[in-house]
Amino acid sequence: MNLTLKIWRQKGPQDKGQMVDYKVTDISEHMSFLEMMDVLNEQLVNSGDEPVAFDHDCREGICGMCSMYINGEAHGPDRGITTCQLHMRSFKDGDTIYIEPFRAAAFPVVKDLVVDRSSFDRIQHAGGYISVNTSGNTQDANSIPISKVDADEAMDAATCIGCGACVATCKNSSAMLFVGAKVSQYALLPQGQVEAADRVMNMVAQMDLEGFGNCTNTGACEVECPKGISLENIARMNREYMKATTKG
């Protein structure tokens, strides 16, 4: 298939940036979206032009690195997948495809389609962990009874790959689905109870400090999330925060 690509090009964080048109031809419907981008970049390099910078790593929907806003949707028109899992059969011959970076004040553009998502790392550092005494007296995890419902919900929350699609699709650039998932995966398990209050207060404080907006209650984040993280995690985070701030 032959396609017209309108791609955001930006030389650096301080550059104004603009949409630039490109033509690609003979694209197979069996290619992944990133393979199509590879074809474009090979074409640009061969013609002496600067290739389009974009994030990628595993290309298996695991790492959360790929982050393209395609035709107005985070990760493109399909559901339950990342950009690297999107295939060209989702498009038609002659289509025009708009490709932009994930946009949020807390995700500044580094170059072209690459954004800085280190704000997520700082939120994790604020409390997304448990402190375990590994001096030899640690209790075996298998000896702690946990209901299957809680274990399943914790595992569902832990599938969050931190790609940032929830932020990119939210009109307030809210990170509450991400933070809610990271809080929930510990709040549901006994190992996370000791630091529960400090964890939720510190992570929410860091989220606000990074400049993310508040939840809009629209639910677009859950729809666009490649791992289907539930809005219930935001509600759980709010409950955990209320408990932590009223504990007395």
Side-chain angles (χ1 to χ4, degrees):
M1 65 180 77
N2 300 327
L3 303 165
T4 299
L5 307 178
K6 292 181 178 288
I7 302 178
W8 182 259
R9 300 304 307 264
Q10 185 172 338
K11 293 180 180 179
Q14 306 307 319
D15 187 54
K16 187 176 180 180
Q18 62 180 341
M19 299 295 286
V20 179
D21 291 4
Y22 298 100
K23 301 283 188 181
V24 288
T25 58
D26 298 325
I27 298 298
S28 168
E29 65 175 10
H30 302 299
M31 284 183 179
S32 72
F33 198 86
L34 295 191
E35 287 172 335
M36 182 275 295
M37 292 295 296
D38 291 338
V39 169
L40 170 65
N41 276 346
E42 184 176 2
Q43 177 180 307
L44 292 174
V45 169
N46 289 339
S47 62
D49 294 322
E50 183 79 12
V52 178
F54 61 92
D55 271 329
H56 63 97
D57 193 357
C58 74
R59 298 199 178 201
E60 294 180 348
I62 298 170
C63 70
M65 283 294 292
C66 53
S67 52
M68 296 184 191
Y69 208 68
I70 303 165
N71 286 349
E73 297 180 90
H75 293 305
D78 214 340
R79 291 289 171 265
I81 61 166
T82 55
T83 301
C84 62
Q85 295 173 301
L86 178 66
H87 283 78
M88 298 312 297
R89 53 181 169 268
S90 297
F91 304 94
K92 301 188 298 295
D93 182 44
D95 275 358
T96 297
I97 305 175
Y98 291 80
I99 309 170
E100 302 172 76
F102 281 2
R103 296 193 184 277
F107 287 170
V109 173
V110 176
K111 183 178 181 181
D112 296 337
L113 305 176
V114 179
V115 297
D116 180 359
R117 286 170 286 183
S118 59
S119 52
F120 270 13
D121 296 332
R122 290 187 289 274
I123 293 172
Q124 281 283 79
H125 294 165
Y129 55 85
I130 58 172
S131 300
V132 178
N133 183 350
T134 57
S135 63
N137 299 318
T138 308
Q139 185 176 358
D140 181 45
N142 290 330
S143 68
I144 305 172
I146 301 171
S147 76
K148 186 175 188 308
V149 172
D150 287 345
D152 286 348
E153 288 186 354
M155 184 61 73
D156 288 344
T159 60
C160 170
I161 57 176
C163 67
C166 52
V167 174
T169 198
C170 177
K171 51 193 169 188
N172 277 359
S173 297
S174 173
M176 291 186 75
L177 191 67
F178 167 75
V179 180
K182 299 307 178 184
V183 167
S184 290
Q185 71 183 74
Y186 297 113
L188 287 159
L189 301 176
Q191 293 91 335
Q193 297 308 309
V194 177
E195 299 166 305
D198 288 340
R199 175 182 302 110
V200 69
M201 287 193 295
N202 291 341
M203 293 184 78
V204 169
Q206 188 65 40
M207 174 183 71
D208 291 340
L209 186 64
E210 297 293 343
F212 292 105
N214 290 323
C215 178
T216 65
N217 296 314
T218 304
C221 54
E222 180 179 347
V223 173
E224 299 287 358
C225 175
K227 300 302 177 182
I229 302 297
S230 171
L231 290 174
E232 291 177 3
N233 292 293
I234 297 179
R236 185 177 295 107
M237 178 186 70
N238 288 336
R239 292 194 298 271
E240 290 291 317
Y241 189 82
M242 185 174 293
K243 284 194 297 184
T245 54
T246 57
K247 189 176 180 180

